[in-house]
Amino acid sequence: MPASSGAIAYSERMKRVMDAVQLRQPDRVPVAFFSMFWLARYGGISYREAMYDYARLSEIARRALLELQPDMYALPHLLTAVGPAMETLGYKQLEWPGHGTAQDVSYQYVDREYMKAEEFDEYLLDPTGFYLHTYLPRIGAAFEGMEKLPMFPGLYYLRLVIASRQFAFPEVQRALDHLRQAGDEAMRLVEHADRFADEMAELGFPLTNGATAPAPFDFFADYFRGSKGIMLDMYRRKDKLLAAIERAAIFITRQAIKTCKASSSKIVFIPLHWAFDGFMSLAQFKQFFWPSLRKLIFDLIDAGLVPMPLWEGDCTSRLETIADIPSGKAIYWIERTDLIRAKEVLGNVVCLRGNVPASMLTTGTPDEVDAFCRRLIETVGKGGGLILDCGIGIPDESKPANVRAMFESARKYTP
Amino acid sequence: MIENEKELIEAIAEMREEEAFALAKGMLDRGEDPVRVLELCREAMDIVGKRFEKQEYFLPELVLAGEMLENIGAIAKPLIQEKSGGASNKLGRVLIGTVHGDLHDIGKNIVTFMLDINGFEVKDIGIDVPVAKFVEEIQDFKPAVVGLSGFLTLAFDSMKETVQAIEAAGLRDQMKIMIGGGQVDEAVRTYTGADAYGINAVAAVTLCREWIAA
């Protein structure tokens, strides 16, 4: 029986992407789709609706993918439709439409100290205990009450049997109740997302990534210490910070491998927030940022996966350092670093993804986008190793005509 | 300059936080003039600022230096006797804020800090600032330069609206407008109608120096 047209398209696209990853010349330069709230504009719904209405988002995303025909796409549900799950969890690390921002303003991270400086020792001693008793109740209202749970590592034999009474504490029961509801909502979201992914796979569209992982430094900077806290930690408690990063990296790696192995995509997306030139010196980058990220990249490659860090900002000074990975095994998504310069340094090492500027997609014209993409395809695309995309996916405010121009350029021009 | 004065400047400039605080405290405990101690801090900050401009120092050093200044200030300032007047010898006024819809403040804070240590009188009006508030604050503060900050791409439109509102209020020719943050570039500058964009805090200082000295 002949394979369906969707199955053929799917394997053609996968081959195109993997050729680019393995630094072989594909039949043409693949082009990727990644949207946060642009789909809301495209579909004429509010950002709030995009965050809350799973079915509507699916319908709009389906329309966009069928029109733009990307070679890979990021599952929009898990990036956008997180409103109900966050609400049920009482999640505190974001402000979103109806919860701190207006109906048509994207969600934004609340940069705070979620772990105090003096809590590093607690984290290092027992990360899970720290999560249960301290961190989770701080970042999600549904977790409040978990701090009444026993300290599990000290329990044994009949003490363990007796300590189970703590599950009957009203605070704990309330937390368990809230968490079951939050779990149900998150499950609904993921089921929608999975159904959408299956349906799109049948139509021939592979995912950009099967898991997302943070750089271990960013993990502490963003979600624990906050931007000010982490900068002071680099001076005030360097050794503890490095030890905590090393500890967290073990869990980050295990979690990413487990999630990605269960997905149809073997790519692990690693958005990088604090790697850029202007934040820390190259010497600090080599000490604080790169070693744990490099190890994550190597571990993922060893597990048969394809790491895809997104180098946000301008990372020109880092290029020589980050060239130190196995050749043809990863994707570096590049935001502001000049891609032609990046190709010179990294061309024999890693596939580059990017990088039409956000300003061009939002304020430019289709002709400008076309000319820019053509130049990328004809220079950076030479010999393989390019996936065309914007700097950080499609900016929310992009003009649809500009987005179309980018996707069409990949089919129009050859390296 | 006496030996421990040099030591204090060096300790701050070299990011030796505990030593810097101990030296400052020692000087104050011995009855030295708290105004002098703060002057030394400012001299040290000049060195830090210059190293930042030369890309020897980066954001962690600016933040730590700011902390040192704050902690030493906290023990020195209560010792300063009330002085009448205190004429300002600031270079010029800069009003800065993150445009509406955008809640990011790190970049704006760093620019504020750098302008401040470089002698400008900076008024920071916070994040997610409505267009009308910018206009009101400008009428009130009368800055020579207005800085519009924004990290998200939505800020492009907010910046444009803010510039237009400043124009509509008849205030545009009294000031220069600079934008910065996130993915701002020349295309965004044209789009918003600002006078210039800066890629970092040093660029912001350079722009203000050019405009205000001119």
Side-chain angles (χ1 to χ4, degrees):
Chain A
M1 206 171 81
S4 71
S5 62
I8 293 168
Y10 189 93
S11 61
E12 278 175 2
R13 290 193 172 107
M14 285 291 264
K15 181 174 183 332
R16 192 170 293 137
V17 169
M18 288 316 292
D19 279 349
V21 171
Q22 290 160 7
L23 308 176
R24 291 191 301 257
Q25 186 82 62
D27 60 341
R28 63 169 174 77
V29 168
V31 55
F33 179 90
F34 180 103
S35 152
M36 297 290 280
F37 283 98
W38 181 74
L39 282 173
R41 295 224 161 187
Y42 174 83
I45 59 172
S46 70
Y47 286 18
R48 163 96 186 173
E49 285 170 281
M51 285 191 74
Y52 278 80
D53 191 338
Y54 304 147
R56 194 94 173 82
L57 183 68
S58 290
E59 183 248 305
I60 294 166
R62 187 182 302 115
R63 189 146 40 98
L65 295 183
L66 289 174
E67 185 194 340
L68 299 171
Q69 297 278 316
D71 293 298
M72 57 203 259
Y73 77 99
L75 205 47
H77 306 69
L78 305 184
L79 290 164
T80 309
V82 286
M86 293 202 299
E87 196 156 317
T88 326
L89 199 61
Y91 187 62
K92 298 172 187 172
Q93 290 180 304
L94 281 180
E95 298 203 346
W96 69 92
H99 280 259
T101 72
Q103 297 292 310
D104 271 320
V105 171
S106 64
Y107 60 71
Q108 294 174 51
Y109 190 69
V110 183
D111 178 29
R112 288 213 184 108
E113 202 177 60
Y114 295 100
M115 179 179 102
K116 296 177 192 143
E118 57 273 21
E119 289 171 340
F120 268 102
D121 289 333
E122 243 350 90
Y123 179 89
L124 283 166
L125 181 70
D126 173 15
T128 305
F130 177 73
Y131 263 74
L132 281 176
H133 293 114
T134 311
Y135 183 69
L136 294 176
R138 241 174 230 169
I139 64 157
F143 292 108
E144 284 165 19
M146 298 296 269
E147 64 276 8
K148 300 283 181 185
L149 283 174
M151 272 181 270
F152 291 106
L155 294 175
Y156 69 105
Y157 188 47
L158 293 181
R159 301 291 82 70
L160 196 147
V161 176
I162 307 300
S164 67
R165 85 185 187 288
Q166 290 180 236
F167 283 99
F169 287 178
E171 298 92 333
V172 174
Q173 296 232 322
R174 203 160 46 234
L176 292 174
D177 215 40
H178 286 158
L179 287 170
R180 202 188 53 238
Q181 291 168 36
D184 284 344
E185 194 54 60
M187 185 67 91
R188 266 194 288 281
L189 165 63
V190 172
E191 280 169 0
H192 263 271
D194 286 347
R195 258 203 308 279
F196 182 81
D198 289 346
E199 188 198 333
M200 295 321 291
E202 275 173 34
L203 291 173
F205 298 100
L207 293 171
T208 50
N209 57 300
T212 302
F217 179 90
D218 286 339
F219 177 80
F220 268 98
D222 290 335
Y223 310 111
F224 287 77
R225 298 288 294 127
S227 55
K228 184 173 173 190
I230 200 81
M231 291 191 244
L232 295 175
D233 292 341
M234 289 168 69
Y235 276 95
R236 287 179 178 166
R237 50 194 75 81
K238 184 177 86 183
D239 295 340
K240 276 184 191 173
L241 174 60
L242 289 171
I245 286 173
E246 199 180 321
R247 192 89 202 260
I250 298 167
F251 299 102
I252 291 167
T253 309
R254 284 187 189 177
Q255 180 65 33
I257 291 174
K258 199 175 162 196
T259 308
C260 206
K261 291 260 175 179
S263 164
S264 59
S265 170
K266 295 301 157 227
I267 299 172
V268 179
F269 177 35
I270 311 172
L272 306 178
H273 299 154
W274 296 106
F276 63 96
D277 287 353
F279 174 53
M280 56 170 105
S281 69
L282 183 59
Q284 287 167 331
F285 176 77
K286 287 179 180 174
Q287 181 178 24
F288 288 98
F289 204 101
W290 178 236
S292 55
L293 174 61
R294 181 177 178 274
K295 183 168 187 323
L296 174 63
I297 291 172
F298 273 68
D299 288 348
L300 294 175
I301 291 172
D302 283 347
L305 303 173
V306 178
M308 181 174 63
L310 162 56
W311 296 91
E312 281 190 20
D314 186 345
C315 296
T316 305
S317 82
R318 321 300 200 213
L319 293 176
E320 281 78 12
T321 307
I322 65 177
D324 176 27
I325 61 164
S327 177
K329 302 281 187 193
I331 301 165
Y332 279 176
W333 188 357
I334 304 283
E335 189 205 347
R336 281 191 87 146
T337 311
D338 177 46
L339 216 55
I340 292 168
R341 169 81 186 120
K343 174 86 171 181
E344 284 166 17
V345 182
L346 299 168
N348 294 324
V349 176
V350 67
C351 172
L352 301 172
R353 174 175 171 181
N355 67 355
V356 184
S359 61
M360 188 176 284
L361 267 295
T362 54
T363 71
T365 65
D367 285 345
E368 284 167 358
V369 174
D370 182 83
F372 190 92
C373 292
R374 180 178 188 171
R375 183 162 159 270
L376 283 186
I377 291 168
E378 290 176 354
T379 52
V380 183
K382 211 166 252 144
L386 172 67
I387 297 171
L388 187 66
D389 196 353
C390 316
I392 320 188
I394 303 168
D396 299 341
E397 298 78 10
S398 302
K399 297 174 191 160
N402 288 348
V403 176
R404 282 182 199 113
M406 183 181 89
F407 281 89
E408 277 158 21
S409 74
R411 290 180 274 273
K412 245 161 88 180
Y413 303 111
T414 45
Chain B
M1 192 181 293
I2 46 177
E3 197 53 37
N4 60 6
E5 292 196 339
K6 269 192 214 150
E7 280 174 13
L8 175 59
I9 292 174
E10 194 189 293
I12 296 173
E14 295 296 327
M15 301 292 129
R16 296 196 299 264
E17 184 183 17
E18 283 173 28
E19 188 189 326
F21 188 78
L23 283 166
K25 187 163 187 313
M27 290 165 78
L28 294 169
D29 287 348
R30 284 193 302 276
E32 286 183 41
D33 183 1
V35 175
R36 176 71 187 144
V37 170
L38 290 179
E39 268 171 29
L40 296 170
C41 289
R42 190 153 290 273
E43 274 183 50
M45 294 310 288
D46 280 346
I47 299 174
V48 172
K50 288 206 176 75
R51 288 183 187 174
F52 183 77
E53 287 177 36
K54 284 194 274 180
Q55 295 187 17
E56 294 165 12
Y57 278 173
F58 290 84
L59 300 190
E61 288 74 26
L62 284 192
V63 169
L64 184 66
E67 283 280 297
M68 288 191 269
L69 205 63
E70 199 175 312
N71 291 336
I72 294 171
I75 53 168
K77 280 177 189 159
L79 303 173
I80 300 172
Q81 283 162 2
E82 291 264 332
K83 279 195 287 184
S84 59
S88 163
N89 54 358
K90 294 279 185 179
L91 293 176
R93 288 182 164 181
V94 183
L95 182 91
I96 189 166
T98 302
V99 291
H100 70 88
D102 201 318
L103 310 176
H104 290 84
D105 65 353
I106 305 164
K108 169 184 65 63
N109 294 349
I110 299 283
V111 171
T112 302
F113 179 78
M114 280 298 286
L115 287 170
D116 182 62
I117 65 169
N118 278 286
F120 293 94
E121 185 180 353
V122 193
K123 184 167 187 189
D124 177 351
I125 58 172
I127 56 170
D128 193 12
V129 178
V131 169
K133 181 158 161 84
F134 260 109
V135 173
E136 236 171 76
E137 293 280 354
I138 288 166
Q139 283 163 338
D140 188 52
F141 186 62
K142 301 188 172 43
V145 177
V146 171
L148 306 180
S149 170
F151 180 73
L152 303 171
T153 47
L154 67 84
F156 302 168
D157 280 324
S158 304
M159 287 171 174
K160 184 179 183 147
E161 288 162 23
T162 309
V163 174
Q164 282 170 347
I166 293 169
E167 237 159 39
L171 301 163
R172 183 68 180 89
D173 54 357
Q174 295 164 31
M175 74 196 64
K176 295 285 190 184
I177 299 179
M178 60 181 183
I179 59 172
Q183 311 184 61
V184 163
D185 58 15
E186 179 56 25
V188 179
R189 185 206 65 75
T190 313
Y191 179 73
T192 57
D195 295 302
Y197 80 97
I199 57 159
N200 58 29
V202 174
V205 173
T206 308
L207 286 171
C208 289
R209 277 204 193 116
E210 281 171 14
W211 286 336
I212 289 177

